[in-house]
Amino acid sequence: AVCALRVQITDDKTRLMPAGTFHAPRGAAEGTGPWHLSAEAATAIIRLAAARSTDIAIDYEHQTLYSEQNGKPAPAAGWVDPRSLEWRDDGLYGAIAWTAKARAAITPGPNGEPPEYLYLSPVFPYDANGVPLDLLHLALTNTPAIDEGAAQLAAARMSVTHEPSEETDTVDREQLIAALGLAKDATDEQIDSAIAALKTAADDAAAFRKALGAKDDAKPDEAVAALKSKSATAPPDMTQYVPIAVFKETTDQLAALKANSNSAELDALIKEGLDDGRIPGKATADWLREQGIAACKAHLEGAPSIAALKTGQTQTQGKQPDGGKGGDDDKLNESELAVCKAMGLTPEQYRAANPAPAE
């Protein structure tokens, strides 16, 4: 079907189809409509257009429809960016890039002379209820949908409505929802998400075929065959590999070396702590050895160095405890009590691990 709209040069987008119920001015295809373009129908058209790989053509006098019959070329007057389509209150709009010839033909003369062309006529398929399904192309014309062109226009409408080509293929909403495996009441957002997921899957499949060196249109089994063929013709470089037994032996030896290194380091840390008094005695040293290097380092960083516990020194510098007065062997002096406080030990626990020296 076709209809007509006044056309003019503008920096804004141009109205390509009117909103609401409309008729062709003098009849079109198999009737004069009416046709009904709603926001929902326009959204479906916008979605289809966004998936196109080519711009929407604007020709002269619908020559795209007549070229097969009259053998004449169908030069373009302009092109509509399919991703620029936009719904507004009064219809479907889009951005047009006019050719220089067409721009001159629709521009009034310098003295107010009328332009060569006044109307823009879209061509679209529609369903049994008169709802437009797609925007196929448009034309500059002064006699939109004239009677003598009815047969050709009808044939074009029937061909795109009942035998869609690859470029102008349209899909019924219910069929689309069923094909995507969605619920019957799926929203436009859910449909868009499902289509995007399919596109991602297709892109992943293309990347998979490319990685395998298969053709872009290769099926999965063909891609796998290509991988097998590639493997057969290009054997792996065995100098880059070692037997599993050699690999395991090497990793075991590295683990053993690391364990020995850790043990030696731990022994050195404990000796250092005993020598400078940060480790009060054997019981603490044995306990730290069980905890490992990290715990031992943490203890040594936080423990005070107690001169009385340093190797080679007595806790009372050769004097009797309590100022030489003697006393209970189990009683802790100030230095030992400081160690208990630092280690979180009771005096009994400390004395059990570090017996008092025999007299």
Side-chain angles (χ1 to χ4, degrees), residues 40 51 88 103 112 122-123 135 139 191 201 204 219 236 250 268 321-322 339 342:
E40 181 180 5
R88 297 181 183 177
R103 182 178 290 271
V123 179
L135 177 60
I191 294 175
D204 291 344
K219 297 179 180 178
T250 301
D322 299 327
V339 172

Side-chain angles (χ1 to χ4, degrees), residues 249-279:
E249 181 181 56
T250 301
T251 54
D252 290 345
Q253 289 177 347
L254 290 174
L257 289 173
K258 183 177 180 180
N260 291 337
S261 175
N262 289 344
S263 178
E265 182 180 0
L266 181 59
D267 289 342
L269 289 173
I270 290 176
K271 183 177 184 304
E272 179 184 341
L274 289 170
D275 289 345
D276 63 13
R278 286 180 293 170
I279 299 178

Side-chain angles (χ1 to χ4, degrees), residues 44-322:
I45 293 175
I46 292 171
R47 186 182 300 112
L48 285 174
R52 293 179 59 150
S53 58
T54 58
D55 289 353
I56 301 171
I58 303 176
D59 61 18
Y60 295 91
E61 302 293 355
H62 294 296
Q63 178 57 24
T64 300
L65 296 175
Y66 301 141
S67 60
E68 291 185 6
Q69 285 78 20
N70 60 27
K72 296 179 181 180
W79 301 91
V80 178
D81 181 355
R83 282 155 291 281
S84 74
L85 295 189
E86 174 187 342
W87 171 253
R88 297 181 183 177
D89 291 341
D90 59 342
L92 182 66
Y93 282 70
I96 299 177
W98 296 105
T99 65
K101 179 181 177 181
R103 182 178 290 271
I106 61 178
T107 301
N111 298 319
E113 298 89 347
E116 294 180 11
Y117 282 99
L118 283 177
Y119 300 106
L120 182 66
S121 178
V123 179
F124 54 90
Y126 56 90
D127 63 17
N129 296 318
V131 176
L133 301 175
D134 199 357
L135 177 60
L136 305 182
H137 42 85
L138 304 100
L140 283 178
T141 181
N142 290 326
T143 53
I146 58 177
D147 295 337
E148 66 186 55
Q152 293 91 333
L153 294 176
R157 183 187 68 79
M158 296 300 291
S159 68
V160 296
T161 303
H162 301 292
E163 298 178 6
S165 65
E166 288 184 3
E167 180 179 356
T168 60
D169 188 17
T170 59
V171 181
D172 180 84
R173 180 183 176 85
E174 294 181 359
Q175 293 177 343
L176 177 61
I177 290 174
L180 294 173
L182 301 174
K184 292 183 179 180
D185 58 349
T187 64
D188 290 343
E189 290 74 13
Q190 292 171 328
I191 294 175
D192 290 341
S193 296
I195 292 175
L198 286 177
K199 185 178 184 301
T200 300
D203 292 343
D204 291 344
F208 174 70
R209 287 192 293 267
K210 182 177 180 180
L212 297 184
K215 296 180 179 178
D216 291 341
D217 58 350
K219 297 179 180 178
D221 55 346
E222 294 173 344
V224 174
L227 175 62
K228 291 181 178 179
S229 175
K230 185 177 180 180
S231 299
T233 57
D237 183 3
M238 296 309 296
T239 61
Q240 304 300 315
Y241 301 88
V242 297
I244 186 64
V246 175
F247 174 77
K248 186 175 185 304
E249 181 181 56
T250 301
T251 54
D252 290 345
Q253 289 177 347
L254 290 174
L257 289 173
K258 183 177 180 180
N260 291 337
S261 175
N262 289 344
S263 178
E265 182 180 0
L266 181 59
D267 289 342
L269 289 173
I270 290 176
K271 183 177 184 304
E272 179 184 341
L274 289 170
D275 289 345
D276 63 13
R278 286 180 293 170
I279 299 178
K282 181 177 181 303
T284 304
D286 292 343
W287 176 77
L288 288 173
R289 185 175 282 105
E290 292 177 358
Q291 305 308 307
I293 290 179
C296 185
K297 287 182 177 180
H299 168 78
L300 294 177
E301 290 176 0
S305 177
I306 302 175
L309 298 180
K310 291 182 179 179
T311 302
Q313 297 188 31
T314 64
Q315 297 173 355
T316 57
Q317 288 76 43
K319 299 179 182 180
Q320 289 290 333
D322 299 327

